[in-house]
Amino acid sequence: MRIIVTGATGFAGSEVVRAALRRGHDVLAVGGKNVPRAPDLKRVVNLDLTDRAKIEALILEEFPQAVINCAALATIEACDLDPKLATKLNSELPAQLAQLCFHVGGKLIHLSTDMVFDGERGNYANTDQPKPLHHYGKTKAIGEVDTLKYGREHAAIIRTSLLNGNSPSGERGIHERLMRDWSAGKVSSLYTDETRQPVSVSNLADVAVELCERPNLSGVYHWAGLAPMSRFDVGQAIAAHFGLDAEKYIKSGKRTDHPQHSQRARDLSLQLHPLAGKLRTPAQPFVDQLGELRVPRGLEAWYEKETGRKVVRLLEKGVDF
Ligand SMILES: NC(=O)c1ccc[n+]([C@@H]2O[C@H](COP(=O)([O-])OP(=O)(O)OC[C@H]3O[C@@H](n4cnc5c(N)ncnc54)[C@H](OP(=O)(O)O)[C@@H]3O)[C@@H](O)[C@H]2O)c1
């Protein structure tokens, strides 16, 4: 299939590009400020995705069979800093892509977030009504509704959870953020009363591409790992996996003791039904996700000193991974 991937330089998008190439698709990778890179990636374009005329020209020229939209302003903090840009990227962009996909007869796969919910109840079904706590969640919730306006059968929205994996910047993955703090001598205060359902970014990428390949699967879906976990338990499991002393680096805390973190939801766990029963890609337990994690670039010397373990880097067709 001819697939356009937007946000192709980001954490999710770079894995989606790899997954689509691995599955034999013809990929056009769209970057913003950075240039997309992947083994065997031949078609790349850089575009400001707030420019509606350029987006339209790209889709009409390419006539894709599917677009996977991974471009976003993807943190609470970034959206609070630039609310207008958040609205453009998180609400208006997916709606425009949905309209254009409808026009060219392609399918839009759009990534959304568990943060459309307020976290009061947890274990959310794909039919539950969003109730966001912050501008990020609001812009993503609006993006979902506006995307589906152009026909439910032309779009699949994947609400997902905390992404787990190796990011292109080496700074977005859960283990990357923790290990950068630990190597700088910081102790992480991780909450026992904040539940998410971490998902391997490569597993999510396979799901996004499989949804392109399955024209009958559309509408709003949930996808994450199999296990809801507290932030504290996630940190403990990561430290243990890397052979690092959790006692030294992690202390437990509670969200409720930190009023400045009132935007952080209590329990954003997701029900994976009905998508889990319909896909060939299986949802993963957290322990399987750990095997994919690498020591972040630049931290090798610190890590070797802390653990006595040697770090070996591999190159895949000339691209560091
Ligand atoms: N990260 C998570 O834990 C998480 C959890 C749940 C859901 N999600 C969802 O997953 C999706 C992807 O998130 P992510 O973490 O992969 O985001 P990310 O790493 O921050 O990547 C964002 C991407 O958007 C591109 N972009 C931003 N502004 C642009 C612009 N004006 N023009 C063109 N491209 C632009 C960036 O390109 P450049 O860098 O090249 O400018 C980058 O490729 C989002 O929809 C997010 O809501 C993420």
Side-chain angles (χ1 to χ4, degrees):
M1 283 175 98
R2 245 177 6 268
I3 300 179
I4 293 181
V5 180
T6 59
T9 51
F11 192 5
S14 56
E15 282 295 336
V16 168
V17 168
R18 284 168 186 272
L21 290 168
R22 208 171 41 237
R23 294 167 84 105
H25 297 292
D26 172 6
V27 177
L28 175 62
V30 182
K33 294 192 182 97
N34 298 297
V35 179
R37 290 172 75 224
D40 296 327
L41 174 63
K42 294 186 182 68
R43 304 183 62 226
V44 167
V45 67
N46 279 77
L47 194 69
D48 178 2
L49 290 170
T50 62
D51 186 330
R52 295 179 66 85
K54 286 200 176 135
I55 296 167
E56 184 175 327
L58 176 81
I59 303 287
L60 294 184
E61 189 176 327
E62 186 69 13
F63 249 76
Q65 287 154 302
V67 175
I68 305 179
N69 179 34
C70 305
L73 209 54
T75 63
I76 299 174
E77 297 75 20
C79 292
D80 286 345
L81 275 174
D82 197 339
K84 280 191 185 150
L85 183 62
T87 297
K88 280 189 179 160
L89 285 170
N90 296 347
S91 305
E92 294 170 12
L93 171 65
Q96 190 193 3
L97 291 172
Q99 185 179 21
L100 289 163
C101 281
F102 175 72
H103 181 71
V104 301
K107 183 171 176 185
L108 174 67
I109 314 299
H110 170 60
L111 294 189
S112 190
T113 171
D114 52 359
M115 289 201 209
V116 296
F117 297 117
D118 66 5
E120 284 306 309
R121 216 197 58 216
N123 196 30
Y124 291 101
N126 63 335
T127 48
D128 284 333
Q129 275 306 308
K131 199 177 170 198
L133 292 177
H134 36 67
H135 191 60
Y136 173 48
K138 278 183 203 149
T139 57
K140 295 295 288 186
I142 292 169
E144 292 182 356
V145 173
D146 290 353
T147 292
L148 294 178
K149 274 188 191 152
Y150 296 96
R152 276 187 93 79
E153 66 279 16
H154 293 282
I157 291 169
I158 314 173
R159 287 191 194 127
T160 191
S161 186
L162 203 55
L163 302 186
N164 190 20
N166 311 296
S167 65
S169 64
E171 290 174 1
R172 292 297 307 274
I174 316 169
H175 76 294
E176 292 168 342
R177 283 179 278 153
L178 289 173
M179 286 168 82
R180 290 204 183 277
D181 281 351
W182 300 342
S183 67
K186 292 187 193 154
V187 174
S188 306
S189 175
L190 299 179
Y191 296 153
T192 52
D193 61 348
E194 185 184 13
T195 298
R196 304 289 294 275
Q197 202 163 323
V199 59
S200 150
V201 67
S202 61
N203 175 264
L204 174 70
D206 271 317
V207 167
V209 181
E210 190 175 344
L211 281 172
C212 297
E213 298 160 354
R214 302 278 299 277
N216 55 332
L217 295 181
S218 56
V220 179
Y221 292 117
H222 288 177
W223 192 260
L226 283 174
M229 295 169 79
S230 74
R231 289 262 187 189
F232 179 75
D233 287 341
V234 169
Q236 294 277 321
I238 287 173
H241 172 74
F242 282 100
L244 291 160
D245 180 4
E247 294 277 306
K248 179 172 166 188
Y249 293 116
I250 299 172
K251 66 175 183 197
S252 72
K254 280 195 179 291
R255 257 170 65 254
T256 42
D257 294 337
H258 297 268
Q260 76 273 24
H261 285 161
S262 60
Q263 289 193 325
R264 286 170 60 161
R266 188 183 69 82
D267 181 353
L268 290 174
S269 53
L270 300 173
Q271 291 177 28
L272 306 188
H273 173 82
L275 192 56
K278 298 183 192 298
L279 291 180
R280 295 189 72 167
T281 309
Q284 288 180 315
F286 193 66
V287 65
D288 288 3
Q289 301 175 29
L290 290 170
E292 296 174 18
L293 305 182
R294 301 188 305 271
V295 174
R297 247 171 265 119
L299 299 189
E300 294 87 351
W302 164 79
Y303 179 75
E304 288 178 4
K305 190 158 160 262
E306 284 297 289
T307 61
R309 295 184 187 175
K310 189 105 191 92
V311 178
V312 181
R313 287 251 171 264
L314 299 173
L315 284 179
E316 187 187 329
K317 297 185 183 166
V319 178
D320 190 5
F321 76 103

